[in-house]
Amino acid sequence: MRLIVKTMLFWTSISVLCMNTNLAKDMRVDVPFPPTLMPGDPSLPTGHLLPLGYQRQPDGPVKEYAQPLTPTEFWERHARDYVPLVYRQAITKAPAFTNWQSDEYIAETYGDLDVLIEKKVEDRVNPVRLRMLLSEFLDNYHEKDWYVVSLLPDPMRAEMQVPRSLLCGNFRTSILESNLWLSSGGTRSVLHYDADHNIHCLVSGRKDFIMIPNKYADQLDLADNKKAGSGFSHMNMDQVDLLHNPQVSEVPWTWATLLPGDCIFIPSKYFHQVRSYGRSVAATIMWDPFDKFNDSDCTTADIDKYTALSEVPLQWTYKKGDRVIDMGYMNVETMRNHFLTVMEEENVSKFTPEILSIMYEMNMLDVQKGRQGH
């Protein structure tokens, strides 16, 4: 009983700390994870109205490696079949690993750059997103309910390391964007999946991940999301209602805890829920999934040479003065190939407004077919 009371008090305190108050935030990083299931009211399902993870024991930890795999190994063991992994101490050579421990350094070096700000408790139904200077964020984020979730500004890419798994073949040429995540801790995401593969690398703090394969989507109370490629659950991650969603107790999950220097591979469409503790700084590298791995340049590429994120091509970036800082744009090569296919089918050599109209009509037909299938 004492353990139950302590657990409920802990999660209540976390909820209070994440409200929009001016109180200093809890910076602890020693929270037990994965959770231990506890007996409760025998008339209620185990884990009812407790955070996600208390409903059943995990199947085990995500597969770990002491160093990043080669690109070919990464493809054959994980990326091809959408299997997550954790790399321990994969980015410790990055200047960011040392420099970004200091708010003063970040403010002095990058404070004049704009970033996007969200609330620390993710809300995809009624999202709030602001744009502000990084220096303004750093002056206030320990007291405010603020969280940087933004494209990683171009100048900061020079201090971030690319794990060797991405340094040849399609991996190197398919990178879409890189994102910056910065908070004082106490953040928690909804249970969701993304359209793209990504490697999420932690510089400071601690993050816990609950990982669920996409094949269990029907058991996770998904939102009716028309945005192609991504999706999320309506469930309250702090109080899972097992009377409304009893099937959650049958969904298997694995777990991972990241500490500074660690990275996790989150495959496209793989459900994950994330909590952060302590001052948290992270960067992600996102790329478009592909069906075949082209390793033609892997025999000559020096994948063991330190490579900064600024040395690899990205499709979507942000530099000072850009009017737009958004995330989640599609692969421009996919769009280009789609244009070329339609032009070939219509037997035309120039892209015209008429071709664009044809593509729009094709897209609307696809949407209507999708709606009929619900």
Side-chain angles (χ1 to χ4, degrees):
M1 178 61 70
R2 184 180 299 173
L3 184 57
I4 296 174
V5 171
K6 286 176 67 178
T7 301
M8 294 300 293
L9 286 173
F10 168 75
W11 288 110
T12 301
S13 68
I14 287 294
S15 297
V16 171
L17 288 169
C18 290
M19 293 171 61
N20 191 14
T21 69
N22 287 326
L23 298 175
K25 303 299 187 293
D26 189 345
M27 302 298 286
R28 290 181 297 168
V29 294
D30 58 348
V31 180
F33 186 79
T36 300
L37 301 194
M38 300 169 297
D41 186 336
S43 67
L44 294 172
T46 299
H48 177 58
L49 297 183
L50 286 177
L52 185 67
Y54 280 85
Q55 293 69 44
R56 62 171 284 162
Q57 293 285 3
D59 284 5
V62 172
K63 174 70 174 177
E64 296 184 9
Y65 296 90
Q67 66 174 7
L69 300 172
T70 67
T72 300
E73 291 170 334
F74 178 51
W75 168 252
E76 292 176 347
R77 300 184 196 177
H78 292 273
R80 179 176 58 195
D81 297 321
Y82 292 46
V83 179
L85 63 74
V86 168
Y87 289 146
R88 295 299 180 193
Q89 300 300 283
I91 58 161
T92 55
K93 295 180 181 178
F97 184 70
T98 300
N99 294 339
W100 296 2
Q101 305 300 331
S102 164
D103 283 350
E104 291 73 18
Y105 173 85
I106 296 176
E108 181 178 343
T109 312
Y110 305 114
D112 62 337
L113 299 172
D114 289 329
V115 289
L116 296 178
I117 309 299
E118 297 183 1
K119 295 187 72 172
K120 291 169 71 173
V121 179
E122 186 179 22
D123 183 350
R124 295 201 176 193
V125 177
N126 299 296
V128 176
R129 182 172 288 183
L130 305 173
R131 176 171 173 165
M132 69 175 62
L133 290 174
L134 190 49
S135 58
E136 181 183 353
F137 171 83
L138 292 170
D139 284 342
N140 293 279
Y141 80 113
H142 284 291
E143 286 75 39
K144 299 288 187 180
D145 186 25
W146 289 352
Y147 185 18
V148 170
V149 183
S150 189
L151 283 182
L152 181 67
D154 275 8
M156 300 182 76
R157 289 169 51 203
E159 295 202 52
M160 194 62 198
Q161 181 178 358
V162 181
R164 70 174 188 159
S165 300
L166 303 182
L167 290 179
C168 74
N170 317 44
F171 293 124
R172 186 175 182 126
T173 59
S174 299
I175 299 176
L176 299 177
E177 64 184 60
S178 179
N179 300 325
L180 174 67
W181 310 75
L182 200 163
S183 79
S184 62
T187 67
R188 55 196 189 276
S189 75
V190 296
L191 180 66
H192 67 285
Y193 65 85
D194 301 308
D196 303 313
H197 289 322
N198 87 79
I199 286 185
H200 187 110
C201 296
L202 191 64
V203 173
S204 177
R206 166 184 155 179
K207 288 193 175 185
D208 293 339
F209 291 76
I210 288 177
M211 308 289 291
I212 300 175
N214 187 268
K215 65 182 180 180
Y216 297 102
D218 290 344
Q219 297 170 251
L220 297 173
D221 192 11
L222 293 193
D224 185 15
N225 187 11
K226 299 301 181 186
K227 182 180 177 182
S230 63
F232 65 95
S233 170
H234 277 306
M235 291 187 296
N236 182 339
M237 293 296 101
D238 291 333
Q239 295 182 315
V240 176
D241 187 341
L242 290 178
L243 301 182
H244 182 67
N245 294 296
Q247 69 282 357
V248 174
S249 296
E250 306 302 319
V251 176
W253 60 282
T254 55
W255 64 276
T257 292
L258 295 193
L259 299 176
D262 297 340
C263 301
I264 184 171
F265 166 54
I266 306 173
S268 166
K269 302 291 182 23
Y270 215 97
F271 283 98
H272 51 288
Q273 197 257 335
V274 191
R275 295 179 183 268
S276 72
Y277 303 97
R279 176 185 177 275
S280 177
V281 184
T284 54
I285 301 172
M286 309 192 74
W287 70 95
D288 209 21
F290 42 80
D291 296 327
K292 259 187 188 178
F293 179 49
N294 180 357
D295 63 353
S296 58
D297 67 334
C298 290
T299 55
T300 57
D302 187 357
I303 63 171
D304 292 316
K305 176 186 176 184
Y306 177 87
T307 302
L309 188 52
S310 56
E311 298 177 54
V312 299
L314 275 65
Q315 290 191 13
W316 301 102
T317 61
Y318 161 70
K319 61 181 181 298
K320 184 176 172 61
D322 285 351
R323 293 180 62 185
V324 176
I325 318 173
D326 212 341
M327 302 161 62
Y329 283 119
M330 72 176 299
N331 187 334
V332 294
E333 286 301 314
T334 300
M335 179 63 76
R336 175 177 174 274
N337 291 334
H338 191 33
F339 286 162
L340 292 173
T341 299
V342 173
M343 290 169 64
E344 183 177 353
E345 291 173 351
E346 297 298 319
N347 196 27
V348 296
S349 58
K350 290 182 65 177
F351 187 76
T352 63
E354 289 73 24
I355 294 297
L356 191 59
S357 296
I358 292 171
M359 295 186 65
Y360 176 77
E361 291 173 5
M362 292 170 60
N363 183 64
M364 290 306 294
L365 285 173
D366 287 343
V367 170
Q368 289 171 3
K369 287 179 182 176
R371 286 175 178 163
Q372 290 170 0
H374 283 296

